[in-house]
Amino acid sequence: MPLPASASRASTSPLPSALLMLFACAAGLSVANVYYAQPLLDALAADLQISTSRIGAVIAATQLGSVAALLWVVPLGDRMDRRRLMAVQTGGLVLALLAVALATQAWSLLLGMLAVGLLGTAMTQGLIAYAAAAAGEHERGRVVGAAQAGVVVGLLLARVVAGAVADLGGWRAVYLLSAVLMIVTGTLLWARLPRLPVSAAHDARTGLFALLRQQPVLRQRGVLGLLLFTVFGVFWSSMSLPLSAPPYALSHTAIGAFALVGVLGALAAARSGHWSDRGHAGRVTTGALWLMLLSWAPIAAMSHHLGWLVLGVLLLDLAVQALHVTNQSRILAAAPHAQAQVIAAYMLFYAAGSGLGALAGSALYAAFGWPGVCMAGAAVSLLALLAWWAMRGYHTITGGHEPSPVPGGSRIDNDRSRPGATACPHTATSINSGATATTPPGNAARGC
């Protein structure tokens, strides 16, 4: 059955820059809702008379909603009309934000936060999958990189914006303002998002765990993602502890300013999606893992000068986001008919790694101080690099490469850019179709 004209154009024409910007901004605004509460916990506790020992339930409710979204809501993007689903989710998120802003008791606040976590996460990951589905195969990595950059900017700036708005108008103003912004965003999305066909392929109804069994690339990149965000969580969950204590004694605003450095790294990493499109995902992965490991040297030197910490944050965020974008571009290329589901499956690894890192970071700082945090971060970074080198078993399943989305098979990314790898074969089997692709002789050196 022929695809609608809009879908045909999406596969052959570059995604308009204005539409790509809309995807990035909408993803950033939607993910910010999940993180606004973190700097507002003291205000929430005082206003609603919640004890300090129980106020952490607000964050727990939001994260529980996020996990529920990954399991049950995000995969709906492969089975329903994406544009209509996005409109329903936006409307639901606006109502959830209003419920939080008007909450007068702890139980109503927790229910509102649960809904915000569910719908904010569903929108964010749904937009990334939407952008990937609307993009042509030759630009999917670039498009995912741009959308993911919006997510990271929204995530990092959420804390800064929430603190500033709360100082001016109270914590309820944060959620009222966000509700207005989401109404505007939803209106623009409904007007500008392309209509895409609902996939009738078998892959569109494959469960998350079935995808994990079937897709070696998803398993490989999921393991890297788990280790990656364990490192990220270890750092960001403990960084404020030494900075708020003597001899630094920095204010919350000053500590939050370090997130701006992370934004620079995230924006620079958006380019990694373009390199992945060109067949360099293996080289980007290897380089990002090395950079993540090396970033802990300046981070550990924070006691000598805060400038070292700035450099370390920049390198760490650059490495983390470059690898995150590359991971997503690879799994999306491997399962083009189940993009919402592979994003959801991969983000479960992300959630597990982030949670583990957050728990470990504060515990390590309490037990061993900042040197203990840095040693643990470097150790997990080294483990990720060693895991990447040891993943040759995954590659043999796919014929020694992860398939490149570049049309015509002119360049095959064999992900063998790490030391000790052997030359790739010039024939390979596609994960999805089982078809054999032959690398033309003139491209053998570049493809390998």
Side-chain angles (χ1 to χ4, degrees):
M1 176 176 139
L3 296 177
S6 61
S8 299
R9 286 194 299 271
S11 63
T12 57
S13 304
L15 208 64
S17 297
L19 181 58
L20 186 55
M21 181 63 69
L22 177 60
F23 274 122
C25 292
L29 288 171
S30 58
V31 78
N33 293 299
V34 182
Y35 294 93
Y36 283 142
Q38 291 187 355
L40 305 177
L41 292 180
D42 55 343
L44 291 169
D47 191 15
L48 300 181
Q49 297 182 344
I50 304 173
S51 66
T52 303
S53 62
R54 295 182 178 180
I55 194 62
V58 170
I59 303 301
T62 308
Q63 294 304 313
L64 181 61
S66 297
V67 172
L70 294 174
L71 288 172
W72 296 302
V73 183
V74 176
L76 294 177
D78 293 326
R79 307 172 188 178
M80 299 175 62
D81 179 83
R82 295 178 189 269
R83 183 168 172 268
R84 192 177 303 276
L85 178 62
M86 194 59 60
V88 172
Q89 290 175 348
T90 306
L93 181 56
V94 170
L95 294 177
L97 290 167
L98 291 175
V100 170
L102 300 175
T104 57
Q105 294 181 327
W107 66 266
S108 58
L109 176 67
L110 293 177
L111 286 178
M113 287 297 183
L114 179 69
V116 167
L118 187 147
L119 293 164
T121 300
M123 271 199 70
T124 303
Q125 302 308 321
L127 283 164
I128 293 176
Y130 203 139
E137 291 185 352
H138 62 287
E139 62 169 356
R140 184 171 291 131
R142 179 183 70 88
V143 168
V144 170
Q148 184 60 43
V151 171
V152 176
V153 171
L155 187 156
L156 293 175
L157 292 185
R159 302 173 180 88
V160 179
V161 172
V165 173
D167 285 342
L168 294 174
W171 71 266
R172 297 179 190 273
V174 175
Y175 291 95
L176 290 173
L177 175 61
S178 183
V180 173
L181 291 175
M182 293 314 301
I183 291 173
V184 175
T185 300
T187 302
L188 291 174
L189 290 174
W190 180 256
R192 295 298 307 275
L193 288 183
R195 288 182 170 85
L196 301 178
V198 178
S199 176
H202 171 71
D203 286 349
R205 287 166 175 78
T206 301
L208 299 187
F209 298 105
L211 276 173
L212 284 169
R213 290 195 303 269
Q214 297 168 8
Q215 296 288 346
V217 174
L218 178 58
R219 295 196 301 270
Q220 171 193 349
R221 295 292 174 169
V223 169
L224 291 179
L226 186 147
L227 295 172
L228 172 75
F229 285 103
T230 298
V231 172
F232 203 54
V234 164
F235 175 75
W236 283 104
S237 66
S238 58
M239 182 196 73
S240 63
L241 299 176
L243 292 179
S244 60
Y248 306 109
L250 298 181
S251 66
H252 291 297
T253 302
I255 294 173
F258 280 92
L260 300 178
V261 180
V263 169
L264 295 177
L267 293 176
R271 186 69 178 172
S272 62
H274 173 76
W275 293 332
S276 181
D277 288 337
R278 311 306 292 178
H280 299 301
R283 294 180 177 87
V284 172
T285 300
T286 303
L289 288 170
W290 272 112
L291 192 61
M292 185 168 70
L293 176 60
L294 295 175
S295 69
W296 286 99
I299 290 174
M302 178 181 70
S303 59
H304 299 288
H305 195 281
L306 282 181
W308 287 113
L309 181 62
V310 172
L311 175 60
V313 170
L314 179 63
L315 295 179
L316 180 63
D317 274 63
L318 175 59
V320 167
Q321 297 310 319
L323 184 52
H324 187 40
V325 169
T326 303
N327 286 347
Q328 289 181 305
S329 68
R330 292 298 85 204
I331 63 173
L332 289 167
H337 300 299
Q339 292 178 336
Q341 291 176 88
V342 294
I343 284 289
Y346 172 76
M347 292 304 293
L348 288 174
F349 287 96
Y350 160 92
S354 297
L356 180 61
L359 290 173
S362 56
L364 286 166
Y365 182 79
F368 305 106
W370 190 243
V373 171
C374 294
M375 289 182 64
V380 179
S381 300
L382 178 59
L383 178 60
L385 184 59
L386 294 175
W388 170 238
W389 281 343
M391 283 178 178
R392 300 183 64 174
Y394 289 104
H395 301 161
T396 57
I397 298 173
T398 62
H401 78 292
E402 291 179 2
S404 172
V406 178
S410 61
R411 177 168 294 192
I412 293 178
D413 172 22
N414 57 17
D415 275 3
R416 295 275 185 151
S417 57
R418 58 196 187 284
T422 58
C424 72
H426 298 304
T427 59
T429 303
S430 167
I431 295 174
N432 297 313
S433 64
T436 299
T438 303
T439 307
N443 288 342
R446 293 184 300 156
C448 296

